[in-house]
Amino acid sequence: MKLVRTALAHPLVWPVVTLVLLTLLDLAHNSAFLSIRMLDGHLFGAPIDILNRAAPLVIVSLGTTLVIATRGIDISVGAVVAIAGAAAATVLADDPSQVGLALAAALGTGIAAGVWNGLLVAFVGMQPIIATLILMVAGRGIAQLLTGGQIIPIGAPGYLVLGDGYLASVPCSVWIALAAIAATALLVNRTALGLFIRAIGINPVATRLAGLRSASIVFGVYVFCGVASAVAGILASSNVRSADGNNAGLLLELDAILAVTLGGTSLAGGRFSLAGTVLGALIIQTLTYTTYSIGVPPEATLVVKAAVVLVVSVIQSATIRALLARHLQRVLPSARTRPIVEASE
Amino acid sequence: MSALPSGQRRPLRERWLRPLIDPRTLPIAVTVMLFAVLFGFGSVMYTGFFSLQVLLGLLVDNSFLLIIAIGMTFVIVSGGIDLSVGAVLALTTILCAVGSERLHWPVWAIVAVVLAFGALYGAAMGALIHFLKLQPFIVTLAGMFLARGTCFLITTQSITINDPAFHAIAGFSVRAGSGSLNAGALVAIVTLFVAIYIAHYTRFGRNVYAVGGNERSALLMGLPVARTKVLVYAFSGFCSALGGLVFTLYVLSGYGLQGQGMELDAIAATVIGGTLLTGGVGYVIGSVFGVGILGTIQTLITFDGTLSSWWTRIVIGALLCAFCLLQRVIERQATRRKSDGTGAGAGAKASRKRRTEPDGGALATQGGTGEQLAG
Amino acid sequence: DEKKITLGFAQVGAESAWRTANTVSIKSAAKEAGINLKFSDAQQKQENQIKAIRSYIAQKVDVIAFSPVVESGWEPVLTEAKAAGIPVILTDRSIDVKDQSLYTTMIGSDFLEEGRRAGKWLEDRYRNDAGPINIVELQGTVGSAPANDRHAGLMEVIKNDPKFKIIASQSGDFTLAGGKQVMEAFVKTYGKQMNVVYAHNDDMALGAIQAMEEAGMKPGKDVSVVSFDATHGGFQAMVAGKINVDVECSPLLGPQLMTAVKDLVAGKQLPKRIVTNETVFPQSVAAQIMPQRKY
Amino acid sequence: MAAHAILETTGVSKSFPGVRALNQVDFRLFPGEIHTLMGQNGAGKSTLINVLTGVHAHDAGEIRLDGKPVSFATPLEAEAAGIRTLYQEINLCPNLSVAENVFAGRQPKRRGAIDWKTINARAADALAALNVTLDVTRSLDAYPVAVQQMVAIARAVSVDARVLILDEPTSSLDDSEVARLFAVLRKLRESGIAILFVTHFLEQTYAVSDRITVMRNGEREGEYLAKDLPMTQLVAKMVGHEGMSERLERDVAERKAAPTGDARPFVEMRGVSRRGLMNPVDLDIAQGQIVGLAGLLGSGRTETARLLFGAEKADGGEVSIGGRRVKLRSPHDAVRHGIGYCPEDRKKEGIIADLPLRENIVLALQARRGWWRVIGRAKQREMADRYIKLLGIKARDAEQPIGLLSGGNQQKALLARWLATEPKMLILDEPTRGIDVAAKFEIMDRVLSFCAKGLAILFISSEVSEVVRVSDRIAVLRDRRKVAEVTSDAASEDHVYRLIAGGER
Ligand SMILES: Nc1ncnc2c1ncn2[C@@H]1O[C@H](COP(=O)(O)OP(=O)(O)OP(=O)(O)O)[C@@H](O)[C@H]1O
Ligand SMILES: Nc1ncnc2c1ncn2[C@@H]1O[C@H](COP(=O)(O)OP(=O)(O)OP(=O)(O)O)[C@@H](O)[C@H]1O
Ligand SMILES: [Mg+2]
Ligand SMILES: [Mg+2]
């Protein structure tokens, strides 16, 4: 019983439950949903698709999580995804063998975008939403400038393997996403960056007075987010074997922020959860997949999405959990519930 | 402890300069100045730009955005955000069209129903946000999906409104000099004045500022936090519906893809107008100029007429950037200059607060503040 | 000394390669024709187009042309244009107004007709097949005119024939990534049941082809692929045997538009509808025609 | 005194995760009395108040107002019932004007609209009654904590209430302000209002209270009439034992007797200034030395400290540390040179509320080491536990979010944060704000012992007597410039008072 209670109190329980419920829904509709088989030497099946598709979203959301943890926001990630893809495609269009250069170009644009955002936010002092809005608007223009408004096909096999190939039977993009998760987790848990980011998000004034160079860290976080977006851009463009300046990563920023919040990270900054973010991204992708596979009519998909988002956040709400805890207490009188810690000022 | 002169009688010159000195009004003063500069720039560059028609056109063509931005200002000042505004606008246009074309309701009934619906929709989101302690972003995002999804469930087509009453209202206009103002613009102007009154002369308005400044303090000060927060979203929903009505008049039709991304325009206009996303700071009038600046940038580009699609975006971004940079630079300069003034110690301290943040107040600046504009 | 004609053109946006080709065509045609072009990009928003048209009225251009984002809602602004004595030409899409004098002519394609053509092709293709013929549909952006009409056109044709059945329909937002993602789900859910993929544009069709190939299916053979626009990419896929038919929707409206503008300014009467020559390209002719394609 | 208690609790208990903050507390408050609640940090004073006014729901027991059981769900309801509260820590809206903060929620109206003229005038009057004159139309955050506290007091006393509760209203006020406040409180008592008052200053307790309730570890130790309870006994009842101050006095004496090592100053400030903020200041502080800053509110003590710490960029003058000229552009620079700073506004500039105590304590040290050289989890815990013990921080454990600690314990944690960096110099701006008597002596004792080991200290306090007692030298500030510097032997308290007031140079 105690186990149940501790489990229920864990912040990641509800995202997990949601994910399970969505999967059950899929299973009810298609009993072979979870079946994975080998096809042409690699794994094939709906779960693999979901992971594969979720990879860019996961990577972008990692960057967004850190930005949000510092009380910021980055709405330019979608545009950066487009620019990075366009930059790589432009290089490859000239010479398909220059895969290394293409990757460097994509990552370079990501860094540049991050530096730009970081400068405006951390050193100029613009409000993050406006600072990144500039790049969101202009960035898509830049991507289109690179592609000339066309969809540039990409044929270089070395590049395509990243988003469309397999390593040890598993899609490369899944490996890359795993690596990104591991790297980010190491970065925030094994260095003091996690502490610094949380501190800045909770009380920037006090953090600065504790002797931290907050501006540099905030700057660095935006650069990180830019790089993450660029990696996502590489995966996205490689997966569809083309770069589309206008549509690549369209509205990705919204999905990323949604993933972060579904994972239980507050937009007010401070404490964050990488695992939650990854779960959030998986929920979004599974939901999308589910609406396709169970045949929700296209005009109803938005309503379904709204309903799921609302339900997930409502069951995660502190108030509802307190109610639930009180109920549990009545059911198991011996159990002393863990009161919900009220976020104090 | 009267350590400093309290400064009761200020010289006249200082009263004029005050908007530029008071950290609360400075961002607005700067915004207004830069708006004038931007408009002047257009007038010099393009023939036909400098005319009352263009200026009034800014109001006419952006009236719905203005109304929505006004609602958004309240939400942001209260420390929240409302992403549902564009979708509610679209839903309103559809409801109007369905009401008039399919149900054949009279205009007044449609207006009443639609406005009530908008307010209730907002209130429902506000209640979720406050009572379940959910994040405004996520609730209003769901609200956006829901409203837009409902549009498509009603119809994926666009519905033209043929009702003569709608046409009559849409055709109504008053002359103003060489230009004219239509019904939508007039509604926007009235909304603006009402909003300013609400913000500065009603307890509700002041509570919005208090809640945005520090919600916990507001609670401990015995202010009706719950009511205020729910009402703020209700007001924003109401404004979205009103904006939707104006938009319906603007295009005399209903369509579910209308107003895409308008939430971002409204947020941008509000923030450009000096409102801080962290809450507690901002003025309705600032958002007016925010909308004006976005509109002017767009007008500049159409007047230019040589830009390709992508250069359009890049130029919008660049102008936005130049504008915001100038805004920051002038603000910094002004606060610095002010602290040179002899003995104006308290002001200096206030400005310091603004700049103590990690070398750039954006992170959590609570610097300038909102208070009576005309107090 | 002839005064240069000024044309104000309000484009929808730059949302697809098709649209870019359309823009390029208009710009280059204007240059060739010696017409002074004022161009604006509305980024898919009707209000932006209305603003642009208003500003053209304020600038007193000679002719206004635009590709409407949506059918409805043009009455007020076009009335203003009429009052200002500026003639209006529609391109690419039509509008829904009572007063037909609000515009002089409409140049461009008819999405409904395109849908019907695709439907007819399907009827021909499966004439001797007993069925059932299962169709999965990749719709464009929900609510957009091409999505609505291409769907409606198809339905018009197949609704009388019970062997055709749309078993799944989802929006891929006109994008390659969207098409691919939707198709991945379809492949897993419906697998071999699918007979036809009906994609509202080439980008989505290309995405769907990738998804099918990755699942080990043979698009164009196991499953018929019907697509629209006939872009370069579409043709390439057709030549490779992966798209079975591509219904043309020509973006090259520039020359026709410029001619119309000149005629208007010269005081000539224009027909209410100038139809662009558009055909249906079955796979068999693709290789032959491809070299002539301009976009 | 009326026979019936206006506000009364019986057997009230309240638990927080891991902490029993209130245990079966009986308490009563009569009309027309000033009742002081005393107790060590974390004894449960604020919790009792929070429970009385509906901030927290109590777990057990009963609250009665006028003999009728009540249970307020929100502070709003308590207010409606005539209970007016000034909570610990300033709970005002920093973005609103001073005047509005005084009147928020009950703004006077004229013809339906808020009447700003009246608000501003009446707020100015209300503050004037407390002897504060300031521009009430400026926003609150333009003023330092002490002024904000006066504003909060003005808000609390400017409306008719039946019960007035003040949780540590005097923690950052100086003597004259306290005197004004007491004058006001006495007047209110005359009119029959029941006043509940929390303070850690014993003299203040005896100056105004009629009755004292002592709390210890969440329990009511006892209720006494002030005139029946000698000060030494009061302390004993709070702490459980006596004789705290003797040790401190001995340490002070010992340290002052010891030769102050080599006289070479550790920090030399020469003409450091910032236009509009502070006029040029010269100040030397040697290792092992305590330099006190004395002055009125707004005299520039905090500014001096912030300039030295780099929190404020100086635009004139120079600073040398250890004989070498340094540039202090940001707090980071100062920390690297071994300087630490306990700010006066702990809520806004000190604590990182949602982070655990442990991380709050290691933050400054980690900041100095950079993000790469991590202090391991075990090391962090060990450090946190050490300082929790050393400073007697009362917390469930090192993992408790610091925002949930009682005010005084937060203050101790901030001190721990800086001690953990093993600084060469500490700037203490009101370090004992809100700290109970016993802990105050302990903390000062600790500080002195660090000082004896060579720590240089810049000490700011609104209690002149405290400054005089511990400092080796005292710099007196007035109107944002240094007007005098006296060594402590010469400095009788009166002399410093006179300097502060501007009587002589
Ligand atoms: N919201 C809360 N959550 C958890 N624990 C709390 C909370 N509020 C107070 N406590 C704990 O309750 C105990 C009593 O705290 P309280 O604030 O009442 O002390 P206090 O007597 O006011 O002390 P001080 O003199 O330092 O203000 C402390 O141990 C504190 O950590
Ligand atoms: N009586 C007063 N009237 C108006 N403003 C005041 C008054 N007292 C203080 N101030 C404000 O306080 C500010 C100075 O605060 P500062 O922090 O420098 O004081 P301080 O000497 O450090 O005092 P403390 O130690 O109490 O904080 C000035 O900017 C001034 O605006
Ligand atoms: Mg307390
Ligand atoms: Mg001070």
Side-chain angles (χ1 to χ4, degrees), chain B residues 112-200:
Chain B
V113 165
V114 154
L115 291 181
F117 168 79
L120 281 179
Y121 196 82
M125 292 191 296
L128 281 178
I129 291 167
H130 181 77
F131 293 110
L132 298 188
K133 299 200 177 75
L134 299 183
Q135 302 201 41
F137 184 93
I138 213 166
V139 172
T140 56
L141 185 68
M144 161 176 149
F145 291 154
L146 188 64
R148 188 119 10 234
T150 310
C151 291
F152 295 145
L153 284 183
I154 295 175
T155 176
T156 55
Q157 310 283 339
S158 69
I159 308 175
T160 304
I161 296 180
N162 296 312
D163 183 81
F166 267 101
H167 280 255
I169 302 174
F172 173 81
S173 72
V174 291
R175 292 213 68 75
S178 60
S180 65
L181 292 174
N182 65 1
L186 295 175
V187 171
I189 293 173
V190 172
T191 312
L192 171 66
F193 283 112
V194 171
I196 291 179
Y197 181 85
I198 292 179
H200 301 290

Side-chain angles (χ1 to χ4, degrees), chain D residues 481-504:
Chain D
R481 58 165 51 86
K482 192 170 106 175
V483 290
E485 190 168 316
V486 291
T487 50
S488 169
D489 2 324
S492 73
E493 225 169 294
D494 283 348
H495 182 53
V496 173
Y497 269 124
R498 251 174 291 132
L499 283 169
I500 289 174
E504 62 184 76

Side-chain angles (χ1 to χ4, degrees), chain A:
Chain A
M1 258 3 324
K2 184 151 185 261
L3 210 72
V4 177
R5 265 192 353 264
T6 352
L8 280 181
H10 196 278
L12 291 186
V13 164
W14 293 112
V16 170
V17 168
T18 316
L19 205 51
V20 171
L21 285 181
L22 281 175
T23 315
L24 287 179
L25 187 63
D26 274 309
L27 273 177
H29 187 260
N30 175 7
S31 52
F33 177 72
L34 283 181
S35 76
I36 298 177
R37 61 192 161 92
M38 290 299 277
L39 184 87
D40 304 336
H42 61 76
L43 295 173
F44 178 83
I48 301 293
D49 276 353
I50 292 177
L51 291 179
N52 197 357
R53 286 274 147 230
L57 179 59
V58 165
I59 295 171
V60 169
S61 306
L62 290 176
T64 308
T65 308
L66 296 193
V67 168
I68 286 177
T70 63
R71 275 198 196 181
I73 199 151
D74 188 347
I75 55 173
S76 70
V77 290
V80 177
V81 163
I83 305 180
T90 324
V91 172
L92 291 174
D94 286 348
D95 181 357
S97 63
Q98 294 282 18
V99 174
L101 190 65
L103 292 179
L107 292 176
T109 51
I111 293 175
V115 166
W116 168 258
N117 284 336
L119 278 179
L120 290 187
V121 173
F123 295 109
V124 177
M126 266 187 215
Q127 295 198 57
I129 199 166
I130 284 294
T132 53
L133 176 72
I134 292 169
L135 191 56
M136 178 191 183
V137 174
R140 242 168 233 295
I142 294 169
Q144 284 179 311
L145 190 66
L146 288 174
T147 60
Q150 303 293 334
I151 296 178
I152 301 190
I154 299 176
Y159 187 82
L160 292 185
V161 78
L162 293 173
D164 211 15
Y166 294 83
L167 181 70
S169 299
V170 172
C172 284
S173 51
V174 174
W175 288 119
I176 294 173
L178 284 176
I181 295 169
T184 315
L186 278 182
L187 205 60
V188 298
N189 293 330
R190 287 301 156 87
T191 72
L193 279 178
L195 170 62
F196 291 171
I197 288 171
R198 275 175 289 146
I200 291 172
I202 295 167
N203 189 342
V205 180
T207 309
R208 179 171 176 268
L209 286 180
L212 202 69
R213 270 185 294 202
S214 321
S216 317
I217 288 175
V218 171
F219 174 80
V221 163
Y222 280 87
V223 175
F224 177 83
C225 191
V227 173
S229 311
V231 173
I234 293 171
L235 292 189
S237 60
S238 149
N239 185 274
V240 297
R241 301 175 211 163
S242 61
D244 180 347
N246 190 68
N247 292 311
L250 202 59
L251 296 185
L252 192 64
E253 49 280 348
L254 269 192
D255 274 344
I257 298 171
L258 188 58
V260 173
T261 32
L262 284 182
T265 299
S266 156
L267 283 178
R271 271 181 291 187
F272 60 92
S273 158
L274 291 180
T277 295
V278 173
L279 276 174
L282 287 178
I283 289 178
I284 293 175
Q285 199 52 50
T286 313
L287 176 61
T288 312
Y289 195 94
T290 307
T291 54
Y292 294 156
S293 69
I294 70 173
V296 176
E299 54 271 12
T301 40
L302 275 178
V303 174
V304 172
K305 199 167 176 181
V308 172
V309 169
L310 271 182
V311 169
V312 175
S313 38
V314 165
I315 54 178
Q316 275 195 70
S317 118
T319 319
I320 295 291
R321 287 220 237 158
L323 280 179
L324 199 81
R326 217 167 298 156
H327 184 73
L328 264 184
Q329 194 176 27
R330 217 169 305 140
V331 178
L332 326 160
S334 62
R336 267 233 293 123
T337 47
R338 263 175 73 169
I340 304 307
V341 176
E342 198 177 287
S344 86
E345 260 297 294

Side-chain angles (χ1 to χ4, degrees), chain A residues 192 196, chain D residues 332 365-374:
Chain A
F196 291 171
Chain D
H332 180 79
L365 179 61
Q366 185 66 67
R368 196 173 69 191
R369 291 166 64 120
W371 61 276
W372 186 241
R373 291 167 50 217
V374 199

Side-chain angles (χ1 to χ4, degrees), chain C residues 52 70 72-73 78 95 99 113 138 147 160 273:
Chain C
V70 49
S72 56
L78 293 190
I95 59 173
D99 180 1
E113 179 56 29
L138 300 178
N160 300 322
R273 178 85 169 76

